[in-house]
Amino acid sequence: MKKLKSNWMVKLIGSPIVIIAIIIVLMVSFSFFFLTESEEFGPVFIQEPDDVIFPLDSDEKKVVMHCEARGNPPPTYSWYINGTEVDAEADYRYSFIDGNLIITNASEVTDYGKYQCKAENSFGTVLSRDGTLQFAYLGAFSGKARGGVSVREGQGVVLMCTPPPHSPEIIYSWVFNEFPSFVAEDSRRFISQDTGNLYISKVQPSDVGSYICLVKNTVTNARVLSPPTPLTLKTDGVMGEYEPKIEVHFPTSVLAAKGVTVRLECFALGNPVPTITWRKINGNIPKKARLRKSQAVLEIPNIQLEDSGTYECKAENPRGGTAFKGHLQVYSESEHVLTPMDSGEKLQWECKATGRPRPTYRWLRNGLPLTSQGRMEIVNGELSIHKVQQADSGMYQCVAENKYGAVYSNAELKILASAPVFIPNPIRVIATLGKDVSLECKPRASPKPRIAWKRGDRRIQPNKRIMLLRNNTLRIVNASRADEGNYVCRAENQLGSAELTAILSFVLPEAMRVELTPARVEVTVGESVVLSCKATHDTSLDVAFQWFFNQKPINFQQDGGHFEYIQTGLFLFSYFIKTCFEALMVSTIQTCPPGPPGVVIVEEITDTTATLSWTRGLDNHSPISTYNVQARSPFSLGWQTVKTDPDPVTGDMESAIAVELNPWVEYEFRVVATNAIGTGDPSAPSRAVRTKEAVPSVAPANVSGGNGRRHELVISWEPVSEEFQNGEGFGYIVAFRANGTRGWKEKMVTSADSTTYKYRDETFPPLTPFEVKVGVYNNKGDGPFSSVVVIHSAEGEPREAPSDVRAYSISSSEIRVTWKPPNPEPGRPRGYEVSYWKDMEQEESGKKQRTVKNETSMVLTGLEGNSLYRITVKAFNSIGHGPATAAVTAKTRKTPPAQPPANLIWIQEGNNVSLSWDPVKAKDNESDVIGYMVSSLPFTAVTLAHFCKYECN
């Protein structure tokens, strides 16, 4: 959101006679009215927080929110995030340098929002305007393949980009076929910067190909590519002419901030290609406006309130026209005019602001809201203070705001004339005998008062031992008991006087002595220990005991149950249960590995190294011998030890460089300490950091190929893992050349997941040998190629039919077919397919049978008897079928007579048997009987069968 500086118009009107003299100091930009270099004044902002967009992938990983104020005395600062005060002690990620807020390891989840700086000194407090922190990032497109789009020639088409998650704005472009061949925008093609979609008003044959949406982040300059979208032409005709249809238009209601550049889009599909025109309803288009991209974009820079209105775009071609209207409304943030006035005992401030929508007002005093109560009265933007008093001094701010932003106007109210006042009064000073004592006298008064010190009724006269310093402090050198008593500081100016009483008393150096201190003890893990402390002291003084653990105060409430505090008389006991990874200054534990090291910080990152630092953990009374650096990434199986420089990392070191990392991989690091006892727990993981991009260093493996259709060269490889892609924009470079030729053909494959590339050229014959290698590239440059392999282009389907096809019947249900294979050539058969059908039927209704491997004969079974069949043979392989032979014919034999011989009579005479039967007469569709066959079964019966011309039963 645009920040506007306040305009201040100062007007001091009022009576020259006032009881309390006041001055109103208005702070305008960097000017300070009425102030000299030595004069004290409240804080005035020199620099306030700006809106910040921070790249999530920034190498710096630190966000700086700026704030600087001038004041005397110099102001102190504090910060608020979304209304909550920043606690730098509770969160190590926050730190202050002067007035600036430094955020380390900034997180979009916790740190996104509005930031406000507070500056304060003894004269008051002011709040800055808000600065918004947002984060810039660009996600990746979905890896899911996109379906193709097929349209008729002459038809309009819209190709969807569907961008990945991002912040803030992104720029869209489209790649045609191969990167970096970009789609050029003209009257026929348009890329919307609102949606990212590509619009082609009238498709031509030259538009056929593959389209890839490329998006670029305007802050980080990162870019990503979408999966390709194929565009093809339908073969069922050409699209005729049709009237325009507006596909891209601006909203019906456009809201824009004053001073920005407005961009209105309008584009239509149509045949012929439509023409776009613009106009402003009830007015003229501003002269500063510009038409871009074949008039598809109306751009209005530095927009002002008078540019509001209704705008229309119209699309026309010979078939007709259509239009779209939208209203543009301009808003502005608040701008101030502040007028302070005083008249007698009443101070009146009027705060006026302009803005659309009209702003509302609120007032702050020293950073806190003011409401109408007591002597304060607030009506709309006017603040009145009745009977102005010293307590009204401070920093005042009028805040004018509407829904688009807020601006702060600042002023300081000083009471420059007042009688002296001492706060607090009296004061007690406890000193040590023999030491120097200082008694301060700092009244609030204006003009500067005269100061005098007295003791009892006598005014103190400075000497060698008692001195009056320039700042009115009374200093007593080598104080003794005789100096004990009451001292009075009197301050007086023309408006009045006041006195401060300072009560001086002494304690002896030996008045407090520790008699019993904690002793050194050795304990076993799991046991309890009691530590005692006793002190003698002056009974007139209160004594507080405080215990420290590893130089840090013990929080007995938080650690209750582990540490326990009991005070009995003057004895202090501490009960606790030890663990291996704690050490007390009075205890010794010899049997524990080291504690975890402190937070691991990644100080510098390159493509293959990370410079790490950490703080020492507890050694648990056994010196740390070595540190082990571990890392994990999305590609590792948990935590893995990484190589370091130096190697090994000795126990006296607190930094090392992790080496041989993979570029463009996100890592977390931790450190483990080892001593003579063993290896301790690891440190907490560092923040996740990504190594920098680098040129790819790993080539694809297992490059091979073959098969495919005729005139195709099919090349395949194993894709390179994301772990080794080394950066964004990863893809493959496929290089090939026919054996014996010199130049390499190179083709870019933009998808990192691709495993195959097909090249088609009808000029080379089947099974042409090619030398092939596959390389890699990313946005940083080209990486290595694989080793060269020889791959043959596809042999294609068989090109000739088999020869010498013969077919003959071997029974009433079987026909044997034989043939000779075609001449050896590319497109070699992998088998044969025999088609057969009855003579009176269509070929499509017939049946097919395939040989096993390259056999050159086949027996067709299951046929009908006494039927004429037509038969063809064709070769096939993995690519397809070859041509079929001319059809040959063969007729199955007739079936044998269905009826058996009848009236069988047999007569036995000794060892002889005489048989007789009636002859079998064959039907027309049965074979003629040419004989009979007699078979006998011992001890049973005799059977008789006939046999015919072709077969016997």
Side-chain angles (χ1 to χ4, degrees):
M1 185 176 290
K2 184 180 178 183
K3 297 295 183 184
L4 301 176
K5 294 182 179 178
S6 304
N7 293 324
W8 291 77
M9 185 171 70
V10 182
K11 191 176 182 183
L12 295 173
I13 304 174
S15 170
I17 304 174
V18 292
I19 297 175
I20 301 176
I22 64 173
I23 184 169
I24 303 165
V25 185
L26 299 180
M27 311 304 178
V28 187
S29 258
F30 299 95
S31 300
F32 304 90
F33 297 140
F34 315 113
L35 304 180
T36 64
E37 193 66 31
S38 60
E39 188 173 356
E40 294 183 328
F41 58 94
V44 182
F45 283 114
I46 297 174
Q47 184 176 22
E48 297 182 72
D50 288 318
D51 293 340
V52 174
I53 302 175
F54 183 73
L56 281 176
D57 58 355
S58 170
D59 295 335
E60 179 62 26
K61 293 301 182 185
K62 287 183 180 179
V63 178
V64 180
M65 301 298 292
H66 293 283
C67 180
E68 183 180 359
R70 183 181 175 187
N72 189 13
T76 59
Y77 302 89
S78 54
W79 280 84
Y80 294 83
I81 302 178
N82 297 324
T84 301
E85 186 171 2
V86 174
D87 188 349
E89 293 184 358
D91 192 336
Y92 74 93
R93 298 185 308 113
Y94 299 112
S95 59
F96 301 107
I97 298 179
D98 298 326
N100 300 328
L101 172 64
I102 313 297
I103 308 172
T104 305
N105 298 338
S107 163
E108 182 185 19
V109 176
T110 57
D111 299 317
Y112 173 86
K114 293 185 176 181
Y115 286 70
Q116 193 172 34
C117 173
K118 182 170 78 173
E120 55 187 324
N121 65 9
S122 57
F123 288 92
T125 302
V126 288
L127 293 176
S128 72
R129 68 181 177 222
D130 290 336
T132 301
L133 172 61
Q134 56 182 316
F135 293 82
Y137 64 90
L138 179 59
F141 279 97
S142 168
K144 184 178 180 181
R146 297 190 173 189
V149 177
S150 184
V151 296
R152 293 187 181 93
E153 181 181 346
Q155 187 177 353
V157 71
V158 181
L159 301 182
M160 312 295 286
C161 179
T162 315
H166 61 273
S167 175
E169 296 83 8
I170 54 179
I171 297 174
Y172 299 89
S173 55
W174 282 78
V175 176
F176 180 55
N177 284 338
E178 296 180 357
F179 184 85
S181 175
F182 289 95
V183 173
E185 294 180 81
D186 50 29
S187 61
R188 197 173 59 84
R189 293 170 294 190
F190 177 70
I191 299 171
S192 170
Q193 294 303 315
D194 288 334
T195 64
N197 298 337
L198 170 61
Y199 300 82
I200 304 177
S201 62
K202 175 186 173 184
V203 175
Q204 299 176 353
S206 59
D207 297 321
V208 171
S210 178
Y211 289 83
I212 297 171
C213 182
L214 184 149
V215 297
K216 178 182 178 181
N217 191 293
T218 56
V219 174
T220 66
N221 289 325
R223 62 182 184 179
V224 290
L225 297 167
S226 73
T229 301
L231 176 64
T232 58
L233 287 182
K234 294 181 178 179
T235 58
D236 56 353
V238 177
M239 187 76 171
E241 294 185 354
Y242 62 95
E243 64 182 11
K245 178 184 178 184
I246 293 179
E247 285 286 343
V248 183
H249 57 75
F250 50 99
T252 55
S253 179
V254 180
L255 194 61
K258 178 182 173 182
V260 304
T261 297
V262 172
R263 188 177 186 274
L264 306 178
E265 294 184 345
C266 184
F267 189 77
L269 308 184
N271 186 4
V273 175
T275 300
I276 306 295
T277 56
W278 293 84
R279 71 186 183 107
K280 184 181 180 185
I281 308 298
N282 299 325
N284 296 321
I285 290 179
K287 292 183 179 180
K288 60 189 174 183
R290 299 182 290 266
L291 289 171
R292 300 188 181 280
K293 296 190 176 182
S294 300
Q295 304 195 132
V297 174
L298 175 66
E299 195 172 270
I300 310 174
N302 189 26
I303 195 164
Q304 299 298 314
L305 297 177
E306 59 268 20
D307 297 325
S308 298
T310 300
Y311 289 78
E312 178 190 76
C313 76
K314 190 172 185 179
E316 297 177 288
N317 70 4
R319 303 293 296 184
T322 182
F324 178 83
K325 297 177 183 179
H327 186 73
L328 173 62
Q329 180 181 352
V330 181
Y331 71 85
S332 65
E333 297 175 332
S334 304
E335 299 181 58
H336 279 88
V337 177
L338 181 64
T339 306
M341 296 169 288
D342 69 275
S343 56
E345 294 183 344
K346 181 180 179 181
L347 175 68
Q348 186 175 344
W349 250 316
E350 185 176 12
C351 184
K352 292 182 179 180
T354 59
R356 183 178 293 183
R358 180 176 297 175
T360 58
Y361 305 92
R362 55 189 174 92
W363 282 85
L364 305 174
R365 177 177 176 272
N366 292 330
L368 299 177
L370 278 177
T371 57
S372 293
Q373 59 178 5
R375 296 179 297 105
M376 297 281 183
E377 182 181 0
I378 299 175
V379 179
N380 294 326
E382 184 177 295
L383 168 65
S384 299
I385 306 176
H386 300 272
K387 296 182 180 180
V388 178
Q389 301 176 4
Q390 175 75 33
D392 298 324
S393 296
M395 303 301 300
Y396 288 77
Q397 293 178 282
C398 171
V399 185
E401 56 193 337
N402 59 21
K403 64 180 180 178
Y404 300 112
V407 288
Y408 290 71
S409 298
N410 306 337
E412 179 180 3
L413 174 61
K414 275 189 175 181
I415 309 300
L416 295 182
S418 65
V421 176
F422 287 100
I423 299 174
N425 189 17
I427 61 173
R428 179 171 178 172
V429 178
I430 300 175
T432 302
L433 289 173
K435 301 293 184 180
D436 294 350
V437 179
S438 294
L439 305 178
E440 293 184 340
C441 180
K442 292 185 176 181
R444 292 183 180 179
S446 183
K448 188 175 182 180
R450 298 178 299 277
I451 301 296
W453 282 91
K454 65 181 181 179
R455 185 177 182 191
D457 297 330
R458 298 181 61 183
R459 182 168 181 170
I460 296 175
Q461 297 297 326
N463 54 43
K464 292 183 178 180
R465 204 173 64 83
I466 300 177
M467 294 171 282
L468 183 62
L469 306 182
R470 286 188 177 182
N471 63 357
N472 300 320
T473 297
L474 185 68
R475 185 174 185 183
I476 304 173
V477 178
N478 191 20
S480 65
R481 283 285 187 186
D483 297 318
E484 198 168 42
N486 293 348
Y487 293 77
V488 176
C489 173
R490 179 178 176 81
E492 183 178 2
N493 64 12
Q494 60 265 41
L495 297 178
S497 63
E499 292 185 344
L500 166 72
T501 300
I503 304 169
L504 177 62
S505 59
F506 293 91
V507 294
L508 297 174
E510 65 275 12
M512 182 166 63
R513 184 176 69 256
V514 177
E515 292 185 343
L516 180 61
T517 60
R520 184 178 182 88
V521 296
E522 293 188 7
V523 295
T524 303
V525 173
E527 291 184 352
S528 299
V529 67
V530 178
L531 304 176
S532 303
C533 183
K534 181 181 179 182
T536 59
H537 59 92
D538 188 333
T539 56
S540 64
L541 301 175
D542 293 328
V543 176
F545 292 91
Q546 188 171 10
W547 283 83
F548 291 82
F549 174 55
N550 286 336
Q551 300 179 349
K552 293 182 180 179
I554 297 174
N555 187 332
F556 288 97
Q557 293 181 346
Q558 179 177 343
D559 297 320
H562 190 62
F563 294 100
E564 185 178 355
Y565 173 89
I566 302 175
Q567 186 167 357
T568 305
L570 297 178
F571 287 88
L572 182 70
F573 301 94
S574 178
Y575 297 90
F576 64 99
I577 301 173
K578 286 295 298 172
T579 67
C580 268
F581 304 109
E582 296 170 340
L584 199 66
M585 64 180 180
V586 297
S587 65
T588 302
I589 300 176
Q590 299 288 354
T591 57
C592 290
V599 176
V600 177
I601 298 175
V602 182
E603 296 182 343
E604 184 180 352
I605 195 81
T606 69
D607 55 347
T608 58
T609 68
T611 302
L612 312 174
S613 66
W614 59 89
T615 54
R616 295 175 61 85
L618 301 178
D619 62 11
N620 290 330
H621 309 285
S622 176
I624 296 172
S625 56
T626 58
Y627 288 104
N628 180 258
V629 177
Q630 299 176 345
R632 69 177 175 187
S633 73
F635 312 104
S636 64
L637 297 175
W639 291 95
Q640 303 289 329
T641 298
V642 295
K643 293 185 178 180
T644 58
D645 181 16
D647 185 18
V649 181
T650 57
D652 58 347
M653 297 180 179
E654 294 184 11
S655 65
I657 301 176
V659 299
E660 297 185 16
L661 305 177
N662 288 329
W664 201 239
V665 172
E666 191 173 80
Y667 287 96
E668 293 176 282
F669 298 93
R670 71 182 187 184
V671 178
V672 182
T674 300
N675 62 12
I677 306 302
T679 299
D681 287 341
S683 67
S686 72
R687 61 185 175 94
V689 295
R690 185 184 287 273
T691 48
K692 293 185 177 181
E693 294 180 274
V695 174
S697 57
V698 176
N702 295 331
V703 177
S704 59
N707 297 324
R709 303 194 66 80
R710 184 185 300 276
H711 305 303
E712 281 186 347
L713 173 64
V714 180
I715 303 168
S716 60
W717 61 88
E718 286 186 9
V720 174
S721 166
E722 184 181 352
E723 182 179 6
F724 303 107
Q725 292 176 6
N726 291 9
E728 291 186 309
F730 182 85
Y732 300 95
I733 305 172
V734 181
F736 52 92
R737 64 184 178 188
N739 275 7
T741 60
R742 298 185 62 181
W744 291 90
K745 286 184 180 291
E746 291 189 353
K747 298 294 181 180
M748 309 287 283
V749 179
T750 58
S751 173
D753 298 324
S754 294
T755 60
T756 304
Y757 176 78
K758 293 181 180 180
Y759 175 73
R760 183 174 179 82
D761 187 342
E762 296 187 3
T763 62
F764 60 78
L767 291 179
T768 299
F770 281 84
E771 291 181 293
V772 176
K773 57 183 180 180
V774 181
V776 287
Y777 73 93
N778 61 17
N779 290 347
K780 283 290 185 179
D782 295 349
F785 278 89
S786 66
S787 300
V788 176
V789 298
V790 175
I791 300 174
H792 288 81
S793 64
E795 60 180 351
E797 63 276 8
R799 302 180 61 183
E800 293 185 7
S803 60
D804 197 17
V805 179
R806 298 184 181 186
Y808 55 92
S809 174
I810 56 175
S811 73
S812 60
S813 61
E814 297 174 317
I815 293 177
R816 178 178 295 275
V817 185
T818 62
W819 60 89
K820 291 181 180 179
N823 294 326
E825 62 158 340
R828 291 164 296 186
R830 296 292 182 265
Y832 298 90
E833 184 177 87
V834 178
S835 300
Y836 55 100
W837 64 97
K838 284 187 176 181
D839 183 45
M840 301 303 294
E841 296 176 350
Q842 296 296 320
E843 181 178 356
E844 291 75 14
S845 63
K847 296 181 180 180
K848 297 179 175 62
Q849 285 185 222
R850 286 191 169 188
T851 62
V852 178
K853 298 183 179 179
N854 277 325
E855 297 176 351
T856 56
S857 66
M858 177 186 293
V859 175
L860 305 177
T861 60
L863 308 178
E864 293 184 16
N866 196 29
S867 298
L868 182 65
Y869 282 88
R870 304 183 68 85
I871 302 165
T872 62
V873 182
K874 53 187 173 183
F876 69 88
N877 59 17
S878 60
I879 309 304
H881 292 89
T885 62
V888 297
T889 60
K891 187 175 183 180
T892 55
R893 298 179 181 181
K894 293 182 178 181
T895 58
Q899 67 277 16
N903 297 322
L904 175 63
I905 300 174
W906 61 284
I907 301 171
Q908 183 175 1
E909 295 179 354
N911 293 329
N912 298 323
V913 175
S914 298
L915 298 176
S916 64
W917 57 85
D918 294 338
V920 175
K921 185 177 181 181
K923 297 179 181 179
D924 292 340
N925 62 344
E926 294 179 337
S927 299
D928 294 334
V929 177
I930 59 173
Y932 298 89
M933 181 176 65
V934 178
S935 60
S936 63
L937 297 177
F939 310 108
T940 56
V942 176
T943 62
L944 176 66
H946 54 264
F947 57 93
C948 57
K949 186 174 182 182
Y950 300 113
E951 54 190 323
C952 297
N953 275 343

